[in-house]
Amino acid sequence: MDKVLTLGIDVGSTASKCVILQDGNKIVSKSLIHVGAGTSGPSRAIKEVLDNCGFSKEDMDYSLATGYGRNSIDWVDYQMSELTCHAKGAYFLFPNVHTVIDIGGQDAKVLGIDERGYLKNFVMNDKCAAGTGRFLDVMARVLEVDINDLERYSEMSTKTVNISSTCTVFAESEVISQLAQSTDRCDIIRGIHRSVAGRVAGLAKRIGIQDALVMTGGVAQNKGVVKALEEELGREIFTSPLAQYTGALGAALIAYEKCKK
Ligand code: ADP
């Protein structure tokens, strides 16, 4: 039988991610563009993922779009909520997962996963930037630090600095005031990570955490946040280098299941 190719597209609020899977188990191509819904990001990510492996849209046996901006991709075979896709992607990466913490660009979600990898329940913060990637993006800009370097700087922290405001706008003023007092940037960054961890831990405790606990989404790449969350929750958190692709990967996996049916 011919190889089955499925395309998963995750149109996030902040980034566009695509994954092409062969036979539901082998990643043949992936792409990531750092702009999301309402921008050229989704079409650029789709072009890149296809160009990377020399296939065209027509070569795909099934395409599935997920994420905040999934409705803008109208030519796909199916559109589906990112909650289901994240659950599926996390289960593929970590078959023993029971809780997923997903921190993306504009929201944070905690998902309960059953024994077969299906979504059981969830809680979500999409009302406020605190505890999301947006909070970190704003703070990184004020601190004139690249988002990729937050982790490295926080590791060099030697003193505890509390960022007490829960509102992003007030927290930004707090950071500016700390900088004006010549507080070490590394200590401020660790304080910012602890602030994000505090917000997300509060969310996670609302549905109850069951091991294995997995973190997905772009922010999972910042080990400073992962470590702060581990300290806050007193549990080990598993991450994958594919963390930001989890939704797109889940979409491609579900596309394969639909194709088989
Ligand atoms: P969405 O699906 O909502 O678009 P993502 O899961 O793609 O969100 O995550 C986007 C967020 O990930 C950004 O707001 C940014 O804060 C964070 N991020 C992206 N890349 C990195 C990185 N290399 N290190 C740390 N954080 C990152």
Side-chain angles (χ1 to χ4, degrees):
M1 192 192 150
D2 273 352
K3 292 175 183 120
V4 176
L5 292 170
T6 56
L7 168 63
I9 307 162
D10 180 3
V11 184
S13 62
T14 310
S16 309
K17 288 82 59 178
C18 292
V19 167
I20 293 177
L21 270 186
Q22 181 184 311
D23 298 329
N25 56 29
K26 185 176 165 223
I27 296 176
V28 292
S29 177
K30 59 184 170 47
S31 65
L32 165 66
I33 301 288
H34 286 282
V35 279
T39 71
S40 61
S43 52
R44 282 159 60 202
I46 293 163
K47 182 176 184 318
E48 196 177 302
V49 81
L50 292 166
D51 287 354
N52 281 346
C53 56
F55 287 119
S56 69
K57 264 190 226 172
E58 292 66 37
D59 294 321
M60 297 298 119
D61 292 289
Y62 204 100
S63 302
L64 196 150
T66 187
Y68 177 74
R70 61 184 175 276
N71 294 333
S72 65
I73 317 289
D74 53 9
W75 52 266
V76 289
D77 298 295
Y78 209 80
Q79 297 161 337
M80 188 177 252
S81 142
E82 63 268 32
L83 294 164
T84 315
C85 292
H86 266 269
K88 183 62 79 181
Y91 183 68
F92 180 82
L93 296 170
F94 297 96
N96 58 345
V97 64
H98 281 103
T99 310
V100 175
I101 293 181
D102 168 41
I103 312 184
Q106 269 181 33
D107 60 23
K109 311 177 189 84
V110 185
L111 324 180
I113 313 287
D114 75 11
E115 300 299 329
R116 295 178 308 140
Y118 290 105
L119 182 70
K120 226 169 37 176
N121 52 1
F122 74 95
V123 279
M124 181 166 176
N125 161 31
D126 60 354
K127 299 279 179 284
C128 162
T132 71
R134 177 91 185 119
F135 183 85
L136 292 159
D137 296 343
V138 168
M139 300 309 158
R141 205 185 52 235
V142 174
L143 289 157
E144 297 180 281
V145 169
D146 191 282
I147 192 90
N148 297 290
D149 294 328
L150 289 175
E151 168 185 341
R152 192 164 58 82
Y153 282 110
S154 71
E155 276 168 9
M156 291 190 277
S157 163
T158 54
K159 220 172 68 204
T160 299
V161 169
N162 285 319
I163 305 295
S164 53
S165 305
T166 44
C167 165
T168 306
V169 179
F170 290 149
E172 187 179 2
S173 306
E174 236 184 282
V175 168
I176 292 168
S177 148
Q178 291 282 0
L179 285 172
Q181 293 165 45
S182 303
T183 306
D184 189 323
R185 206 169 287 254
C186 300
D187 297 328
I188 301 176
I189 292 170
R190 191 159 69 92
I192 289 167
H193 289 166
R194 287 176 47 242
S195 162
V196 171
R199 291 286 292 195
V200 177
L203 200 64
K205 283 173 188 161
R206 272 171 42 200
I207 66 162
I209 302 165
Q210 260 187 290
D211 291 325
L213 172 58
V214 170
M215 193 169 153
T216 64
V219 176
Q221 292 168 103
N222 180 342
K223 296 294 170 288
V225 173
V226 178
K227 191 161 167 251
L229 249 173
E230 285 185 323
E231 283 166 9
E232 187 76 33
L233 296 169
R235 286 170 190 267
E236 186 178 3
I237 298 177
F238 296 90
T239 60
S240 159
L242 293 171
Q244 198 167 5
Y245 295 92
T246 311
L249 174 62
L253 287 163
I254 296 169
Y256 179 72
E257 286 174 0
K258 290 200 172 284
C259 198
K260 285 272 139 195
K261 274 183 195 161

